[in-house]
Amino acid sequence: MRDFLKHTLATVLGLLIFLGLSVGGLLWLLISVASRDTGPQVKDKSVLVFDLSTTITDARRNSNTSDLINDVLAGEDTNSLPLKAVLQAIDQATQDKRIVGLYLYDNGGGVGGAGFATLKEVREALVRFRAAGKKIIAYDVNWREREYYLASVANQVVLNPIGSMEFNGLSSEGTFFAGALQKFGIGVQVTRVGKYKSAVEPFLLTRRSSENREQTQQLLNDLWGQFLQTTGQDRKRSAQQLQAIANSQGILEPEDALKQGLVDRLAYLDEVLADLKKLTGGDEGNQKTFRQINLKSYITATEDSSKQKRNSKNEIAVVYAEGEIVNGQGTRSSVGGDRLARQLRQLRQDDDVKAVVLRVNSPGGSVTASEVIQREVILTRKAKPVIVSMGSVAASGGYWIATYSDRIFAEPNTITGSIGVFGILPNVQELANRNGVTWDAVKTGRFADLQTISRPKTPQELAIIQKSVDQIYDQFLAKVAESRKLNKTKVAEIAQGRVWSGQKAKELGLVDELGGLEAAIREAAKRAKLGNDWRTEEYPKLRSLEERLFERLTTDNIKAQMASDPLATELKKIQSDLEVLRSMNDPRGVYVRLPINFRID
């Protein structure tokens, strides 16, 4: 104990010294700047600058100067913005006479990994901006599908003459560990229901099953079809023409991209900046660059005025469920079942809260946590309207918590469904035996060591676990049938763990309406009969610097900056896949989750 205290005190002292020496100067500098800074100002004839490398999240991140300091000290991403703030800022700029245009460019890294459903909401805001008669200019050296999905709205899409354009479709490449697990002597047994429930396949197979390939192909077709239709309308090209380009060329040289009408102009950055200077009324002599304000600064500069517009006692609570659904409290990047349930309970008991919008952007996870959250959704709905807004992914456990709401909104390219259940049962017997490790159990009951990983499960034990999985799947079907007012037999047909696009989910009755977060908020106001007398508040509230520092110092939170290294990028994908296993903490060992390595490139 004495040594423990000695090392602990030494660590704390070292931390304090480190913070004092490494951060003290930076903190002093930032505070000094902040004390003199009156905040960003919006000048007349300014262009709103939208960096496409900005990470767009669901939940709110810190935006003002003091919060930015906290982010730097806590080592968190300062280049991120919440979707709701982005939408409000673009819509405000649409009406702001000081803003004469919008400049889209990629400062590296693309659109921060945002899903297509999130990008669709941003794209629609850009369409409204352009429809108001304001000019949008988009420039990049190398256009890729995700960035181009937004850029295709622009009045002028510009490509650098030395660049290229990726237009080759969408793909989903899975990683499979079965061969490696077998090589290292790690056994995996699974229990599951639903022939499309492919989350277990990476640990059993070396390639996709036919069912998994079928559902993935259908989903990609739906998302790609929506991409072609949307971009084609603005570029005045049919979906067939665009598909022909993807099939025949894939990667277009600048002249080919211009010839095909995918870009409007080939130009260097200095030429684009010269055009922006003209747009803001500047010239070479009196202005070094164009008059501008970036999106984050514009949000900060206008947030007070936007708050004044909604000064009401009637609150619509926007609650974010973003990340893996895990048992317990969860972390910053996951949805803790107990934590979210407590949040909903507090909002249910708050008389100022007239309606709740639950924004779900989750692949699912723990079945226990999903049920805990769903129970609070049911109780909250009895007291006030509950509307669900699905983000880019709201599937399996993410769909479980969406049931029993008054209305479910999704985008056409939302990934949802995946109504199925599975359990993963690893054992390290062979690996241990190879290295001279053995076990010998003493027990008072036949199944007393059911949870051990020292050996494979017996057929009788597997039958017990499978029975539990079957019962939970049956409950899942019953919940969906009851809440969606569907025949249970029909639900069983469209379930089976299969993943659907938002568009297809609406056709199947799993979703009520196609629309984004703002549409869901308007529906909540309508059902609560608030007219225009309401305001929104977002939950969970931001954490303090101390809380974020403590989490960073007590968890393995390593973020490698290796986007430009192809090998490192692939290793990062594998690390992400394996990280999912760490979040599997359901006390019953049963999960409702999307395929573990499901990603779209």
Side-chain angles (χ1 to χ4, degrees), residues 83-93 298 306 518 521 536:
L83 173 62
K84 192 169 184 293
V86 171
L87 300 179
Q88 289 177 341
I90 297 174
D91 284 337
Q92 186 151 340
Y298 186 74
S306 63
E518 294 301 323
I521 293 174
T536 61

Side-chain angles (χ1 to χ4, degrees), residues 19 21 33 51 56 59 81 164 211 273 281 320 350 387 392 396 449 454 458 497 500 536 539 568 571:
L19 288 176
L21 294 176
V33 174
D51 180 358
I56 301 176
L81 289 172
S164 65
E211 293 83 3
L273 297 182
Y320 295 100
D350 189 338
I387 309 298
S392 293
S396 211
D449 61 342
S454 65
T458 66
W500 304 102
T536 61
Y539 300 89
L571 290 175

Side-chain angles (χ1 to χ4, degrees), residues 26-44:
L26 176 61
L27 178 60
W28 177 84
L29 177 62
L30 290 174
I31 291 176
S32 298
V33 174
S35 64
R36 298 194 302 268
D37 187 17
T38 58
Q41 303 294 315
V42 185
K43 298 179 180 180
D44 288 334

Side-chain angles (χ1 to χ4, degrees), residues 47-50 52 100-106 126 129-130 134-140 143 150-159 264-265 267 269 271-280 290:
V47 167
L48 182 62
V49 177
F50 188 164
L52 291 174
V100 296
L102 190 147
Y103 175 45
L104 286 168
Y105 81 108
D106 181 10
L126 294 175
F129 184 94
R130 186 191 63 190
K134 297 189 175 184
K135 191 171 184 178
I136 300 177
I137 296 176
Y139 165 82
D140 203 350
W143 284 116
L150 296 182
S152 59
V153 174
N155 301 87
Q156 188 176 92
V157 181
V158 185
L159 175 62
D264 301 292
R265 182 186 176 198
L269 177 60
E271 296 174 300
V272 175
L273 297 182
D275 288 344
L276 290 168
K277 287 173 65 176
K278 293 178 182 178
L279 183 62
T280 57
F290 65 97

Side-chain angles (χ1 to χ4, degrees), residues 52-66:
L52 291 174
S53 68
T54 301
T55 299
I56 301 176
T57 63
D58 267 9
R60 180 173 174 263
R61 298 288 189 264
N62 303 317
S63 59
N64 59 41
T65 306
S66 61

Side-chain angles (χ1 to χ4, degrees), residues 333-390:
S333 58
S334 64
V335 183
D338 293 342
R339 177 166 52 88
L340 183 54
R342 182 174 63 251
Q343 181 73 81
L344 291 171
R345 186 159 55 249
Q346 292 170 349
L347 295 173
R348 169 164 52 88
Q349 297 167 351
D350 189 338
D351 293 335
D352 290 336
V353 176
K354 306 302 181 183
V356 174
V357 173
L358 180 60
R359 172 73 171 191
V360 182
N361 202 345
S362 171
S366 165
V367 69
T368 302
S370 298
E371 177 65 9
V372 168
I373 296 169
Q374 187 196 69
R375 177 61 182 171
E376 286 301 326
V377 170
I378 293 173
L379 295 176
T380 303
R381 185 188 177 192
K382 293 179 179 179
K384 55 197 68 175
V386 177
I387 309 298
V388 164
S389 168
M390 291 183 168

